[in-house]
Amino acid sequence: GSWEIPVSATASVSSNTIAAATGPIDDRVEGLFTLDSLSGRLQCAILYTHGPRQNRFGAVYEANVFEDMSVDGAKKPNYLLLTGFAQLTRGRGNSGNMQPATCVAYVVDGNTGKFAVYGVPWSPSLVSRGTTQGGALKLLDIGKARMEDIRE
């Protein structure tokens, strides 16, 4: 017999200075995450799928991975960027309309082995009204894949 297999695909690509990945924000749209290895700027741009700003980027969130991951600038950064599914619960103190997106963004530093995970605050109700949204990506945690320093 045939199998009913739900498929969810996200993409991740990179060039010398820019890495890009997509990840689900809610059940209507994915966000475009970009990471500029020259400035350390991680950005998530989200297309509004309906409402007055339909088919335009209505949300932009940002973080600086240089600051968050304590990059010393001695080596040229070597970042990997990928997204993953995460059904995060709303934190206390969040306004009722804000909810976490259904993905997180992972940034991995290939030089140090450090990695960070970021969440995206999201309000679907602002899309219907055509109200732009944005601000800071939420740094959720930092870890390290490599236990010892590599000498060159």
Side-chain angles (χ1 to χ4, degrees), residues 9-13 20-25 30-34 44-45 81-84 103-105:
T10 57
S12 181
V13 294
T22 59
I25 300 301
E30 287 194 331
L32 172 64
F33 294 86
T34 55
C44 177
L81 172 65
L82 54 155
T83 60
C103 77
V104 291

Side-chain angles (χ1 to χ4, degrees), residues 29-43:
V29 70
E30 287 194 331
L32 172 64
F33 294 86
T34 55
L35 176 56
D36 180 348
S37 64
L38 299 179
S39 67
R41 181 175 182 231
L42 173 65
Q43 177 180 277

Side-chain angles (χ1 to χ4, degrees), residues 1 20 46 107 111 124 150:
I46 305 166
V107 176
N111 292 335
I150 304 292

Side-chain angles (χ1 to χ4, degrees), residues 14-134:
S14 65
S15 70
N16 287 341
T17 58
I18 295 280
T22 59
I25 300 301
D26 63 20
D27 59 359
R28 295 184 78 142
V29 70
E30 287 194 331
L32 172 64
F33 294 86
T34 55
L35 176 56
D36 180 348
S37 64
L38 299 179
S39 67
R41 181 175 182 231
L42 173 65
Q43 177 180 277
C44 177
I46 305 166
L47 191 70
Y48 278 17
T49 56
H50 59 284
R53 294 184 65 84
Q54 182 172 349
N55 301 331
R56 290 167 56 200
F57 288 110
V60 177
Y61 293 92
E62 296 184 15
N64 187 312
V65 298
F66 285 178
E67 292 172 13
D68 294 340
M69 295 173 73
S70 306
V71 173
D72 63 8
K75 282 187 179 178
K76 183 180 171 202
N78 177 22
Y79 288 122
L80 302 172
L81 172 65
L82 54 155
T83 60
F85 175 77
Q87 197 75 51
L88 301 172
T89 56
R90 291 181 194 191
R92 273 174 285 175
N94 282 359
S95 63
N97 293 335
M98 296 303 286
Q99 62 188 49
T102 54
C103 77
V104 291
Y106 298 99
V107 176
V108 182
D109 182 339
N111 292 335
T112 65
K114 281 186 184 174
F115 53 86
V117 58
Y118 294 88
V120 184
W122 178 241
S123 174
S125 64
L126 292 180
V127 179
S128 301
R129 296 198 296 263
T131 305
T132 58
Q133 56 188 308

